[in-house]
Amino acid sequence: MGIQLKQNGLAGFLEPEDLAGMAPLVEACAGQLARGDGLGADALGWIELPRRYDKAEFERIQAAAKKIQADSEVLVVIGIGGSYLGARAALEFVHSPLYNSRAGKSTPDIYFVGNNLSSTYINEVIELIGERDFSVNVISKSGTTTEPAIAFRVFKKLLEQKYGKPGAARRIYATTDREKGALKSLADAEGYETFVVPDDIGGRYSVLTAVGLLPMAASGIDLGAVMRGADDARAACAESDFSKNQCRQYAALRHCLFNRGKVIEILVNYEPRLTQFGEWYKQLFAESEGKNKKGIFPTSANFSTDLHSIGQFIQDGSRNLFETVLWCPKAERPLVIEADEANIDGLNFLAGRSMQFVNSKAYAGTLLAHMDGGVPNIVLELDDIDAYHFGYTVYFFEMACALSGYLFGLNPFNQPGVESYKTNMFTLLHKPGYEQGAAQLEQRLSQ
Ligand code: PA5
């Protein structure tokens, strides 16, 4: 159960001594994380979370999810960055990218808003909700992020028009800071049920808190299985023998490849259920290690779909890439290719084979082709794609990311670069307190 790291896709790219040389550095970083004496030490609450989570709040999350399931056909989840990517990834990983359209589903449809500034998108979601009963889970640790705050204004008003102010308040669930921020003040004033983003857990490490757990539970995901997976990963990632610690080895291998000029990591999957996990991974690593002019650029690809687009580049373009392949040998719902009498498409050589058998050959063939093209491959094999493995994989990547940040000598738990666009946007919007410099920015834009 869990994740198996496979290194056969690295043959010819790294020598055994590369990994051995990196091991002590990774061990030192792991020690800093365990002792809590490294950079960003006030943001390490995620390390012990799988065994020390707030059990009372966990119960409240499950109760709120039951209420949402009982009184709502739709749940609108409002949040951006770490305040929505994990829940969205979980929904697709455990259920399906087609979750909302699944026939016979008894849990609410879930729409994610407040993660962009498109009025068209918001209007489309409102149309999709139509006359249906709905609830809102607004998620913002700071409580002041512009995108979710604007979306919340819109959906709060819709709820109040439909159910009246007290009725709306019973359908709004706010996940935010324990004490501070505009959302917390509003929630207290209006009497919304609130859930906490712990002080010592940053947005992108928060999927296993109420941030991710409430939308997951509303969709019917077994939270116990998620937390069991995360806790098993916690134990595996704490293994002190480097040769048995796959997470530390993965963190080390990424850095060995980086040192050889492979500065872009593509997280590859062969299963559409993992597409949104790729989006979560990108945010986790990009905000954690893309700073001080350092870091491995994280991106993702969905195979075999993208073998017909960026596959060309991976095979034959600039040689600064490596791939990390999330591979699951099992298909949850198999399909066998049948024989066809006419065989005009020439596919009878596959008759009786499962589609997953074809997928496995696409995976194996691509691995070798990309290696031949000069792209090293790390493989992380999952036994299953389910709630347990979601929790396991999330924790595995969180730990690998924290180790990676420390290997670069930086704080993986802040994101100072995100402020630059906000400052310019607020200045251009003439937000009170940001008036200075607007003319200069406008002049630059008009050139
Ligand atoms: O990882 C992070 O900290 C960020 O991506 C945040 O999650 C994101 O900016 C949203 O912030 P907030 O939850 O405060 O609205």
Side-chain angles (χ1 to χ4, degrees), residues 30 89 106 118 176 209 227 282 311 361 371 397 406 436:
S106 58
S118 163
T176 188
T209 71
M227 296 312 277
K282 283 196 297 206
K361 297 303 169 195
M371 287 172 70
F397 275 96
Y406 278 8
Q436 284 260 320

Side-chain angles (χ1 to χ4, degrees), residues 204 282-291 412 414-415 418:
R204 58 191 170 277
K282 283 196 297 206
Q283 191 233 357
L284 177 68
F285 278 82
E287 281 198 347
S288 298
E289 66 177 37
K291 51 195 77 156
N414 63 8
Q415 55 284 333
V418 176

Side-chain angles (χ1 to χ4, degrees), residues 80-83 139-145 148 202-205 283 287 415 418 422:
I80 195 165
S83 287
I139 309 169
S140 178
K141 180 169 175 162
S142 63
T144 54
T145 309
R204 58 191 170 277
Y205 287 81
Q283 191 233 357
E287 281 198 347
Q415 55 284 333
V418 176
K422 288 186 193 167

